[in-house]
Every structure is written in C-alpha cells, then in structure tokens.
C-alpha cells in the first residue's frame, strides 16, 4: 500500500498542484530517502521547473525542464502534501520538502521512512531503476495481453497470488487487489499457477483490468492511512469483498471469509467460492 490505483490518483492530484512550479530549495531530515544524497538533489533540481508527472506501475515520475526525472516510490506509507505557507511547522513524519519560488512547499510524509526518490536522466528510467527495468505491462486492455499472461502463468509453480504480485508479470497489483481479483476470478490464492486452465487465467486477467480500473476511478482504497495529494480518501474500500473482511460472510455465498498467509502475505478468500483444486499442471 499504496498500489497502482492509489499512486495514479496521487499522480493526478500532483499534476494539478505542482506542474509549472520552479524549485527554490530542498530539505530533508532523513537523507536515506534521497538516493545519492541531498546535495545531488539540490544541484539537479534547484532552479528547475516541473513540466509533467507520469506513472509506471507504482512509481511516480516527476519530469523537470532540465532533462531530469525524479523517480518516487511511496512504498508502504509515503504521501505528498502541498502547503501554501512554508512557515507552517512540519509534523514529525515530514522527511523531505521542496520549496517553490512562489512560496508553496511540497512535503513528503512517510511514517516508516521506506519510500525512496531517485534522480535519472529523462528517458533512461528503465536503464537506471531496477524496478522499472523489470516492470510488466500496465493492467489495461491495450497493454495487458491475455495470451501472454497465460503463457507466463503456465510456466510458474508458485501460488497464483504470488505470481500476480510479481511486478514483472503485471504492473501495480499489490496485496489488496490481488485478494480482490482472485475472489472475482473464483480462484484460490494458493492454487499453483501452472494448474490454472486457460479459461481461469483469462477470467483472472479480465478481473485484474476491471478491479484496478474501478478502484482508480473511485480514488483508490483507504483501509489504513492512504490520502491522495489533495488530502482526500479513496472510495473503493466500500466495495471490498474479501480484503480485511475475515470472519464476515462472503457477499456471494455467505460462507465466512478466511484469513491465511500465502507467500508470507496476509491473504483473504472465501473457502466455498475459491476452493483449492487438486490437479496437475495444465
């Protein structure tokens, strides 16, 4: 958390708030977030103007007019906030701040300090950032090919949940949406991937596109601390069928939702709708 729908909504909010602003100063109280150190960020970005913001998977790509891109990964708790008055004191979770020439300040909050920012030459993101180099297709009908997905799944013995959490298979799926898409696809999270039929894989492929698209449209999922760049909560938490719903009845069959672990990740599913099927590799 945040996953693709949340990061996309952060991108949209930041685009409205900070594109066109010029950096005047940069500060930090936790330099590990800034890969390469504070001085490198100050040298590269002070005097530069933000021209656009893109997203790839769970990464934000802040573009500057001097040919530099700031790659930001929010990890578990990262979030951005724009304040009009830099004199307003930082709370204890503000660890990086960008002051703009017009007096506004973009603050990066991170309770766990796991987020990272990295500077790269624009256009070389995939050559420099390991996570981007291995990134799979975006979960859209245009980019995410069902036949290619089946071919990949067919080669993997790991539980299907672990496979769709692999960012090289499909971009942006995290724990929440893995559980939800598997419920929609009526697949057990622990089912070995190579035992899925082509029809089951196609059903899962379509569910990934549908669920992530719907979550993005609703502003993401706020089950813990997620807020977008404008301070708004998401709305998809009202549509969750299994995630964080252990010991409640399944919306489809009324069987009690179970929580277990798959690949060391907390996992929610319906034992009736999502049975673990004993079968050989397809």
């Amino acid at each position: 958390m945040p996953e693709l729908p949340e990061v996309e909504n952060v991108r949209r909010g930041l685009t409205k708030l900070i594109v066109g602003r010029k950096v005047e100063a940069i500060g930090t109280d936790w330099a590990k977030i800034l890969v390469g150190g504070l001085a490198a960020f100050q040298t590269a970005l002070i005097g530069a103007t933000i021209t656009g913001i893109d997203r790839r998977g769970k990464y934000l790509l802040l573009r500057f007019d001097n040919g530099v891109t700031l790659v930001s990964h929010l990890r578990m708790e990262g979030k951005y906030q724009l304040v009009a008055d830099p004199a307003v004191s930082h709370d204890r979770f503000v660890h990086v701040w960008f002051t703009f020439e017009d007096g506004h300040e973009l603050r990066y909050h991170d309770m766990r300090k796991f987020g990272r920012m990295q500077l790269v030459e624009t256009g070389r993101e995939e050559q420099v950032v390991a996570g981007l180099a291995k990134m799979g297709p975006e979960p859209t009908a245009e980019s995410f090919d069902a036949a290619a997905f089946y071919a990949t799944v067919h080669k993997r013995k790991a539980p299907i949940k672990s496979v769709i959490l692999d960012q090289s298979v499909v971009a942006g799926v995290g724990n929440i949406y893995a559980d939800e898409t598997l419920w929609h696809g009526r697949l057990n999270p622990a089912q070995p991937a190579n035992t899925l039929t082509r029809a089951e894989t196609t059903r899962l492929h379509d569910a990934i596109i549908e669920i992530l698209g719907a979550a993005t449209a609703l502003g993401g999922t706020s089950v813990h601390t997620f807020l977008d760049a404008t301070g708004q909560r998401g709305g998809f938490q009202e549509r969750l069928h299994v995630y964080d719903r252990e010991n409640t009845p399944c919306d489809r069959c009324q069987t009690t939702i179970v929580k277990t672990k798959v690949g060391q990740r907390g996992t929610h599913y319906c034992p009736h709708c999502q049975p673990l099927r004993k079968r050989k590799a397809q």
Side-chain angles (χ1 to χ4, degrees):
M1 186 68 179
E3 303 176 30
L4 184 150
E6 291 76 46
V7 178
E8 173 59 19
N9 278 279
V10 171
R11 185 198 69 79
R12 294 175 184 182
L14 285 177
T15 296
K16 295 176 182 178
L17 293 172
I18 65 173
V19 168
R21 298 185 190 272
K22 181 182 288 189
V23 178
E24 183 177 77
I26 305 171
T28 184
D29 70 353
W30 195 260
K32 288 183 179 179
I33 293 172
L34 304 176
V35 177
L38 175 61
F41 276 71
Q42 292 173 327
T43 299
L45 300 183
I46 289 178
T49 298
I50 299 172
T51 58
I53 305 175
D54 296 319
R55 178 197 53 75
R56 182 73 171 94
K58 302 178 188 180
Y59 290 84
L60 289 168
L61 309 173
L62 282 69
R63 312 293 193 183
F64 289 82
D65 64 354
N66 60 353
V68 173
T69 290
L70 188 160
V71 180
S72 173
H73 198 305
L74 304 176
R75 299 288 174 87
M76 295 183 69
E77 298 284 351
K79 56 178 64 73
Y80 286 98
Q81 175 193 30
L82 184 70
V83 297
D85 183 4
V88 175
S89 61
H90 294 178
D91 68 44
R92 64 194 180 101
F93 298 123
V94 173
H95 298 304
V96 181
W97 50 95
F98 301 83
T99 306
F100 298 116
E101 279 193 345
D102 62 5
H104 287 72
E105 188 171 88
L106 180 67
R107 296 176 177 180
Y108 175 72
H109 300 242
D110 196 335
M111 186 181 302
R112 302 195 184 190
K113 304 175 183 175
F114 288 165
R116 292 293 181 267
M117 300 179 195
Q118 184 173 352
L119 299 176
V120 300
E121 180 185 343
T122 298
R124 299 194 66 248
E125 299 83 15
E126 292 189 2
Q127 291 96 315
V128 176
V129 182
L132 291 174
K134 299 176 182 178
M135 189 73 64
E138 292 287 315
T140 64
E142 297 76 19
S143 301
F144 189 27
D145 181 74
F149 180 56
Y150 174 75
T152 298
V153 166
H154 189 65
K155 298 174 184 176
R156 304 282 288 269
K157 297 180 181 180
I160 186 58
K161 177 174 179 178
S162 299
V163 172
I164 62 174
L165 285 174
D166 182 343
Q167 299 299 291
S168 70
V169 174
V170 58
V173 178
N175 208 42
I176 294 174
Y177 300 113
D179 284 0
E180 290 298 305
T181 55
L182 289 165
W183 182 85
H184 277 266
R186 296 177 180 259
L187 296 170
N188 189 285
Q191 189 74 38
N194 64 353
T195 67
L196 268 61
T197 66
R198 185 178 293 273
E200 288 170 336
T201 307
T202 298
R203 195 163 68 231
L204 177 58
H205 164 273
D206 294 348
I208 289 171
I209 294 173
E210 178 185 349
I211 298 305
L212 269 70
T216 300
L218 287 172
T221 302
S222 294
V223 291
H224 300 300
T225 63
F226 172 71
L227 299 173
D228 68 16
T230 65
Q232 299 298 308
R233 287 171 53 83
F236 196 73
Q237 62 274 10
E238 306 301 330
R239 298 194 184 185
L240 295 176
H241 293 285
V242 286
Y243 182 82
D244 211 25
R245 288 197 55 205
E246 63 269 24
N247 301 320
T248 67
C250 172
D251 291 334
R252 201 158 42 203
C253 72
Q254 304 305 302
T255 301
T256 300
I257 300 299
V258 171
K259 182 177 183 180
T260 186
K261 281 195 174 182
V262 174
Q264 305 303 311
R265 303 296 296 273
T267 298
H268 309 77
Y269 73 101
C270 171
H272 180 264
C273 293
Q274 301 169 263
L276 182 60
R277 303 184 186 280
K278 293 183 178 180
R279 57 164 76 134
K280 295 181 180 180
Q282 298 295 303

